[in-house]
Each structure stands twice: as C-alpha cells, then as structure tokens.
Amino acid sequence: MKGPGSAHVHVPKKQVNELSEWSSGSSRVSAAERMRWRWLWLLGLATLTASCTGLSSNLPLDGYLAGLKELLQKILWTANVKRCFAVITDDLHYPIYDRSFFESVGRQLVPFYVVRVNDSEDLRRLPGDVELVLRAIKARDCELHVITILNGWQVQGLLKFVYENRALNMQRKFLLLHDSRLFSPDMLHLWSVYVGSVFLKRQLDNSFQISTVAFPGILSGVLVLKNLATWQRGKPFHERLLFLDNTRDLKGASLPVAVVEHVPMVQWSNTTNSYQGVEVDIMNALAQALNFQPKYYEPNDSEDTDWEQNDDGDVQNKTHIDSKLIAEVAMHGARFAIGDLHLFQVYLRLVELSLPHNFECLTFLTPESSTNNSWQTFILPFSAGMWAGVLLSLFVVGSVFYAISFLNAILTGSGHDAGFSRCCRRHPSRGEPPDPSHYRRLSFRVALSRYRPPLGAGKHRDLFDDYATCILLTYSMLLYVALPRMPRNWPLRVLTGWYWIYCILLVATYRASFTAILANPAARVTIDTLEDLLHSGIPLTAGAAENRHFFLDAIDEVAQKVGAKMDVLGHNEELTARIAKGQCAYYDNEFYLRYMRVADEAGGVGSALHIMRDCIVHMPVVLAMEKNSALKQRVDSTLQHMTEGGLIAKWLKDAVKRLPAEAPAQQEALMNLTKFWSSFVALGIGYVASILALLAEHWHFRHIIMRHPMATVWNAL
C-alpha cells in the first residue's frame, strides 16, 4: 500500500512443513502428522470463520467485507485522526484497505501504517520487523489502531504482546473484531487497560453490533460488554457514542489500595483507627477527583513476595525485588499501592509508576559518641604537654629558689648553719659508730634533758633555705597562696615577684580555658560522609534489595564499596539498639530516620543516634499502579495540580512537624554534678596520696626512727 507517510509490512507465509502448534510454539513433526495438522488447522479456520464472525454459507464474503469497509470508513471519519493511524490485518481483510478506503476516511490526508500478518503467525512472539513497526506507531503516538484479524487466538496473542512489552500506547483507541476468545479469564486484567476498545460483531441480518467494555465496572473484576449501537448499511451512524473518555468519572467504584506503614507517607492512627500520612491524603484527594472509594489494606506478611527477574521480564534469577507492594499490584491484587515507593527502573517492568510527588533525602542512621570526659574536666584546659611544662617549671623554679638561697648563704658567710641543708653541712670525719651503751648512761640522759637551744639559733634562716620548703612554697604560689612572709634577701624577693607574674598568667589561662569547657556542651563524634562511614567499619544495612542495587550500579567508587558492604535487613524493634551499639547503620529516608530516633527517645532508651548530614541521593517518591493502567494520565495530571497548589508540601509539613531535624541542644554554662565529677576525682587522688604518705611516714617511724638507740632514751625521758 502506497501513500504519503505510509508504511507497509508484509509477513510471508510459512511453508506447510513449518506449521506450528498454537499452544507450544514451532516444532518439527513427521510427514503424516504434518498432513494431519494441516487438515485440522484448515477445518478449524473454517469453523472459526463461521462461528466468530457470524458468517454462513448463504452470506457472500464480498457483502461482509463491503459492509465492514463502509463501517470502518464511518468510524475513521468519526475518530477525526490528526496525527496518524495504524492498521493490523490478515489476508482475509487486506482487500478492504485499498486506495479508495484511505481517500474517503479522512478530512485530510494523514500518515498511516499497515501491517499484514500471516494467518498462521504466532503473534505472541512477533518478528523483529513487525515489532519495529509497532514501536514506530507508538513513537508517532497514533490515535487509532484498527485490528481486523479473524483468528481470535492471534488477536489475543497480539494484545498480550503489546501489554507485556508496551509496544503500543494502550490508552489510545482500538477497533477490533468481536471474538469470544478475547474475553477468557486470563484476558480480564487486559481489558481494564484497553478501555478505549470498540468491538464490531457481524450479525446474521448483515448488521454490525458495536460494543465496548463497561468501565469502570471492569475495575471490580467483572467483565461486561456494553452495547453502544447496531449499524446497518445505508443508515446514519451515531458518532458521539464511540470512544468516550470513561476515566474522568469512576462512578464511586471501590478500588483496593495496598499500603505498608512507612513514616511519613503511611502510618496507622490508633485514635482514628485509620491510616494517615502524606500518601493517604494524596489517595483521598485522587478519590475525590476521580470519584472512587479507596479500600486500604495491608498485604499479608506471610506471603512470599521475593521475586527474581531477568531482562525479558520472566521470573528468573537475575534482579531481586522484595517489595510486597509491587508484588501485590503486579499480581492484580490491588489497583494502587502506597508506602514510600521510590522510582526504581526495575519496578517499571511489573507496574506503572506515577509522576513523583515528592523527593526524599536518603541517608544513614549512625551511632553517635560523645567526648564528655567529665572526670577529666579539671585537667582538660591544658594539654598533656602543657601540664608537663607546668610540673617541670614547678621543680625548676623551686630549685632556682634553693640555689639562690644557697649561694646567698655562702656569700654572706652563713653556710655553716647546720639547718641549711643536710647535703651542704660540714660533717665531721666519720669513725666508728658510737657505743649504744653510751646512750643508756645516766649522765647522757641528764645532759639531754637539760639541753636548751642557744638564743638566736635559726635567726639567720630564710624561707628558701630548705629544698622541701622551696618546692612547697613554689606550689603554694602557683595556687595563689601567699607566702608566710617575704624573703629577707633581695634576690629572692625579685625572683618571687617575677614568679608571681608567671603564676598570674598561667592561672588566668587555665581559668579561661576551664570556663570555655563548662560553657560549651561536650563535642559529639558523628559520621556525616560516606568516606567516614566506610572508615568506621560499621556494617551497613537497608530495608530493600533495590537500595543495595542502587549503590552497586552507581558510577562512584565509594558508592560501589558501600553497596558491596550493605546487607538487606527488615525493620525490627531491636534495630535502634543495634545502631546505638555500633553494630549497624540503617539506610532510609531522612523523615523515617527521624521517626526511629524520636521513637527510641520516647521509649526511654535514650540511645545516641545521629542522622548523616550528607544526603546520598534525593530519591523521587511515586505511587504504584497496575501495569499500563488506564488511570495513569488522570493520576499524573491530578498529582501535578496538587503539587503546584502546594497541597503535598503542606501535608508533608504537617506529617513531620513532630519529628525534629536535630536533637535539642544542651543548656550552656550549666555546672552539673556530671561536670563537677572531676573535682571528686582530684579530691580522691589527694586522699589516696595523703594516705600513702601517712603509711610511708608510719613505716619510716616504726622501722627507722624507733630502732635508733637514742629513741629508747628519748622515750624514757
């Protein structure tokens, strides 16, 4: 067939020895079986011709074709095609589509496609050239598809192929020959998609009965054909009855909606005994706009909904899908599915997805640790090196005080003072130890009891003449404790003044740093990037296998490493406790992670949970519908209007207003017992040191002092 913008595909006939069985596909048989199958096929074709189209031996074929041609011309004129139309026909009806047919149907010449198929062709598996033509028809978005194929099995296979592969736009107009085999139980869900189909049935009186599928009754699972008109040759045609848009008003039909609780999209409310959430509000708005009644239900958790798909759409071991919502809709158990479904390409093989109504930030819920070392509060103002310098300066300055005092004693001639320092005393030559009996003599005891220190003894001693006293006074000045008196020697006075300046600066620095520590809350150690998450070594988990595949298919190397370490884990009550212990990190949308954190705090557990600041991806959130659903265009249009009107943003704001983005900040400049615990630690260390010094002094007195012979004499006095 030639014409402007036309396409003509002729599929040649198969040989007789290549006839195939309709149920099992092509297979080779013996010569006798081929002959037997040929006669059975010819007999069946004759029977189908008589039973399905109402033809009888007394009705000429030319009259049937002429009447069908005239009716098709009137319908094409009524359809008012603007872009293009397509014709798929067999050898019997091919003569209808001659030059006069295409010249008389349109108000203006429009492009058209003509596909001629073999009577024995299995249209469930179309050849490559025919499939390319169907793809071209879909790409041009032709308004009308005329299918005049006598064999109902072929039409059924063609419709299933188009449905499974989306080869044509199924929401456009379809003209088909009536055949009872098109309404078998396995075709029920297809007619809920081909809602623009019109059937032509030849009657015995040469008239044609025009009917269509009753919509929205088909959505309730009941297939009823609605009679539109009965046309006879030479009579007027009621053009307004055909191709009505029935998706505008669903007439209060009850449509099942599968739901899964997932904050903030869907959540069960015990106060109202109903589902609430953003997507529930969206479904209620859609129900009001399209006039249907949503029937919410939650799929059975015990059912196995783990699917595996290959690239051809068959159930194989390729792509894992574990969403029970997708399974529920794909098995035609529900017309819609809501529950925070994300836009994954793997879902499109099984269901239809709406336009995104929201974009969620997907990230990880990770454990959080704190640097709140309360027992170290009093030593945190200085670093370890600073404390080492302070202690070193304490002993160095104490030694300098002692050295100056020693040099001053030598220069002034008071170095013979026995009390200055034991190491600097002039000891007499050590001889034989005295006889212990000498201390027991009565004369020694009398002399010892009468001994009185001479007047003026120790008069020339200064504060820093003893090394232990130097260290003690240096330490006391560091703590702002005044000296008992000023040193007598001016060198010591000058050094004391400069050391006081050093102590003032050091203490002022300590106080400033200590005040800053008390005024600010303890710093939190959090994980905010994927790199930090990988370096932490925390096991990664997600609620769906699609999230794991998303990371594995990413082009980013870091994301691929995350996907390789990620495991699929369903939500359970112990999940937040595991996250707080650092046993795993959970991947989900930000609002749901907020809900987990708030629920954990409300339960009295008080676990340290943190939501990563970096969003891994802003994922579109969609509604799921049946594959090739006739309601998709209406749903998308309504969603766009709600989005532009700000309704969805308002519903989302209401749903998450009780889910704070960040944990409440701690009060600043508050001294509590936790922060003051370090003082008790310092006090405890002092008590322990004092007790150890007391025990050491007691041991020294018992084992050294009391064993001296003179101790017995002294105790006897």
Side-chain angles (χ1 to χ4, degrees):
M1 183 63 61
K2 298 181 180 179
S6 64
H8 182 198
V9 177
H10 178 221
V11 181
K13 294 184 178 181
K14 296 182 179 179
Q15 300 298 327
V16 176
N17 58 356
E18 294 178 348
L19 291 175
S20 60
E21 301 180 47
W22 294 108
S23 59
S24 59
S26 65
S27 61
R28 294 185 176 274
V29 294
S30 62
E33 291 178 345
R34 287 199 302 269
M35 184 62 66
R36 175 174 170 266
W37 279 108
R38 187 203 313 180
W39 285 109
L40 289 177
W41 181 78
L42 293 176
L43 180 60
L45 180 60
T47 304
L48 294 176
T49 305
S51 62
C52 298
T53 63
L55 292 178
S56 61
S57 59
N58 56 357
L59 292 178
L61 185 61
D62 293 340
Y64 161 71
L65 295 178
L68 181 61
K69 178 179 179 180
E70 183 179 350
L71 179 58
L72 290 177
Q73 288 176 336
K74 290 182 178 294
I75 294 177
L76 286 174
W77 181 272
T78 302
N80 192 19
V81 178
K82 299 295 184 181
R83 286 185 293 272
C84 62
F85 68 95
V87 175
I88 304 175
T89 185
D90 54 9
D91 293 335
L92 177 64
H93 298 89
Y94 183 72
I96 295 177
Y97 307 103
D98 54 7
R99 185 180 183 88
S100 61
F101 175 84
F102 293 103
E103 290 178 351
S104 60
V105 297
R107 296 177 175 85
Q108 59 182 359
L109 193 60
V110 294
F112 58 89
Y113 296 84
V114 178
V115 179
R116 181 181 178 183
V117 298
N118 196 317
D119 295 336
S120 61
E121 187 71 34
D122 185 5
L123 299 186
R124 289 175 297 183
R125 295 176 177 84
L126 292 180
D129 52 354
V130 177
E131 185 176 356
L132 289 177
V133 175
L134 296 184
R135 299 291 183 185
I137 295 172
K138 181 180 180 181
R140 290 293 300 270
D141 195 18
C142 294
E143 296 101 322
L144 181 63
H145 308 84
V146 181
I147 302 177
T148 53
I149 299 177
L150 186 64
N151 192 335
W153 295 119
Q154 284 186 301
V155 180
Q156 186 182 109
L158 175 63
L159 294 179
K160 288 183 177 180
F161 176 85
V162 172
Y163 177 84
E164 293 173 357
N165 297 276
R166 293 186 174 92
L168 295 175
N169 190 344
M170 284 156 280
Q171 278 67 54
R172 293 301 180 183
K173 305 169 185 177
F174 283 82
L175 271 176
L176 304 100
L177 299 179
H178 184 278
D179 195 310
S180 60
R181 290 167 294 184
L182 298 179
F183 310 111
S184 58
D186 60 332
M187 293 287 292
L188 181 62
H189 64 278
L190 266 72
W191 295 122
S192 64
V193 175
Y194 293 97
V195 294
S197 301
V198 173
F199 304 97
L200 308 178
K201 183 177 182 180
R202 172 72 181 274
Q203 303 295 326
L204 295 178
D205 58 352
N206 293 332
S207 63
F208 284 87
Q209 182 182 356
I210 305 174
S211 60
T212 186
V213 176
F215 192 87
I218 185 64
L219 298 179
S220 301
V222 180
L223 176 60
V224 177
L225 292 181
K226 180 181 179 182
N227 189 16
L228 299 178
T230 300
W231 177 82
Q232 292 182 353
R233 297 186 64 179
K235 292 187 177 182
F237 184 73
H238 301 284
E239 58 184 31
R240 295 183 179 180
L241 300 177
L242 300 182
F243 306 118
L244 297 178
D245 187 2
N246 298 322
T247 60
R248 292 178 178 270
D249 185 6
L250 301 185
K251 301 177 182 179
S254 180
L255 302 185
V257 181
V259 301
V260 169
E261 291 190 61
H262 203 279
V263 178
M265 298 303 165
V266 180
Q267 187 177 13
W268 176 260
S269 175
N270 292 324
T271 57
T272 60
N273 290 328
S274 61
Y275 288 102
Q276 296 180 354
V278 178
E279 290 184 341
V280 176
D281 294 334
I282 292 175
M283 285 304 306
N284 293 335
L286 288 174
Q288 186 176 1
L290 302 180
N291 190 17
F292 69 89
Q293 298 294 329
K295 184 180 179 181
Y296 300 105
Y297 75 98
E298 188 169 358
N300 190 0
D301 293 336
S302 61
E303 295 179 358
D304 186 11
T305 57
D306 293 349
W307 289 10
E308 303 287 344
Q309 272 200 337
N310 63 4
D311 296 337
D312 298 332
D314 298 331
V315 180
Q316 299 286 343
N317 294 326
K318 287 291 183 179
T319 303
H320 183 78
I321 301 176
D322 58 3
S323 175
K324 57 183 177 181
L325 290 177
I326 298 300
E328 192 72 13
V329 177
M331 298 299 293
H332 311 291
R335 300 295 178 182
F336 292 93
I338 58 176
D340 200 21
L341 288 173
H342 294 151
L343 184 58
F344 290 112
Q345 292 295 325
V346 67
Y347 291 165
L348 293 175
R349 304 175 183 177
L350 303 172
V351 298
E352 207 71 39
L353 301 178
S354 68
L355 288 178
H357 61 78
N358 191 22
F359 290 86
E360 290 181 336
C361 169
L362 298 187
T363 184
F364 283 91
L365 183 64
T366 60
E368 175 186 311
S369 60
S370 176
T371 58
N372 186 18
N373 299 322
S374 299
W375 65 275
Q376 298 178 351
T377 303
F378 280 87
I379 64 174
L380 286 178
F382 287 164
S383 63
M386 187 67 178
W387 280 116
V390 171
L391 295 178
L392 181 62
S393 65
L394 175 66
F395 287 98
V396 169
V397 174
S399 301
V400 170
F401 272 113
Y402 179 76
I404 293 177
S405 179
F406 173 70
L407 293 176
N408 184 74
I410 294 177
L411 294 176
T412 57
S414 59
H416 61 276
D417 189 358
F420 182 80
S421 177
R422 182 174 299 179
C423 61
C424 299
R425 293 176 184 173
R426 296 182 179 180
H427 296 280
S429 59
R430 297 183 181 271
E432 294 294 332
D435 187 5
S437 60
H438 174 73
Y439 298 102
R440 298 188 182 94
R441 295 176 183 175
L442 181 61
S443 59
F444 178 77
R445 295 184 179 182
V446 172
L448 183 62
S449 62
R450 293 178 179 179
Y451 174 76
R452 297 291 182 274
L455 294 175
K459 180 179 180 181
H460 299 285
R461 291 181 58 83
D462 207 346
L463 292 176
F464 299 99
D465 287 351
D466 186 64
Y467 187 76
T469 306
C470 290
I471 300 298
L472 182 61
L473 294 178
T474 306
Y475 177 70
S476 64
M477 284 190 291
L478 193 62
L479 297 180
Y480 275 8
V481 178
L483 296 176
R485 59 179 178 82
M486 289 297 294
R488 294 189 180 92
N489 301 321
W490 277 103
L492 293 176
R493 292 186 177 186
V494 173
L495 181 60
T496 301
W498 285 106
Y499 184 68
W500 268 113
I501 297 176
Y502 164 78
C503 292
I504 292 173
L505 295 177
L506 184 65
V507 173
T509 304
Y510 178 85
R511 286 181 176 178
S513 180
F514 184 72
T515 303
I517 292 176
L518 295 179
N520 298 305
R524 300 184 302 176
V525 179
T526 59
I527 300 174
D528 290 318
T529 62
L530 280 181
E531 290 79 3
D532 296 340
L533 190 60
L534 286 176
H535 295 332
S536 66
I538 300 175
L540 309 178
T541 58
E546 292 79 15
N547 292 321
R548 182 175 183 270
H549 292 307
F550 172 79
F551 283 97
L552 293 176
D553 297 338
I555 59 176
D556 185 42
E557 183 178 356
V558 177
Q560 292 177 0
K561 293 180 180 179
V562 171
K565 296 180 58 178
M566 183 176 291
D567 296 327
V568 179
L569 176 66
H571 179 71
N572 54 69
E573 297 179 355
E574 299 180 355
L575 182 57
T576 54
R578 293 185 57 190
I579 297 174
K581 295 177 182 178
Q583 297 178 358
C584 67
Y586 190 70
Y587 178 76
D588 212 306
N589 73 77
E590 179 185 3
F591 301 121
Y592 187 73
L593 299 182
R594 292 187 196 177
Y595 169 75
M596 292 177 59
R597 187 179 61 187
V598 171
D600 181 70
E601 294 175 355
V605 180
S607 304
L609 302 177
H610 173 69
I611 300 175
M612 280 180 50
R613 296 179 182 269
D614 290 351
C615 286
I616 308 302
V617 62
H618 291 274
M619 184 66 74
V621 187
V622 295
L623 309 179
M625 297 167 282
E626 286 185 295
K627 187 176 182 180
N628 306 311
S629 175
L631 303 177
K632 175 174 168 47
Q633 293 182 357
R634 295 292 177 190
V635 171
D636 290 346
S637 177
T638 308
L639 280 176
Q640 185 174 0
H641 292 161
M642 287 189 290
T643 302
E644 293 174 353
L647 289 176
I648 298 180
K650 191 264 181 185
W651 293 332
L652 179 62
K653 183 179 179 180
D654 293 341
V656 302
K657 62 183 179 181
R658 297 183 179 179
L659 304 176
E662 293 291 341
Q666 299 180 5
Q667 254 184 323
E668 298 182 356
L670 177 63
M671 188 64 180
N672 51 22
L673 186 61
T674 303
K675 292 183 178 180
F676 198 70
W677 181 251
S678 60
S679 63
F680 295 104
V681 174
L683 187 62
I685 294 175
Y687 283 153
V688 171
S690 300
I691 293 173
L692 293 178
L694 178 62
L695 294 176
E697 186 176 0
H698 179 71
W699 181 88
H700 181 268
F701 179 78
R702 297 279 296 181
H703 294 80
I704 297 179
I705 301 299
M706 295 300 295
R707 290 185 179 182
H708 196 277
M710 191 175 178
T712 305
V713 178
W714 181 262
N715 291 332
L717 293 178

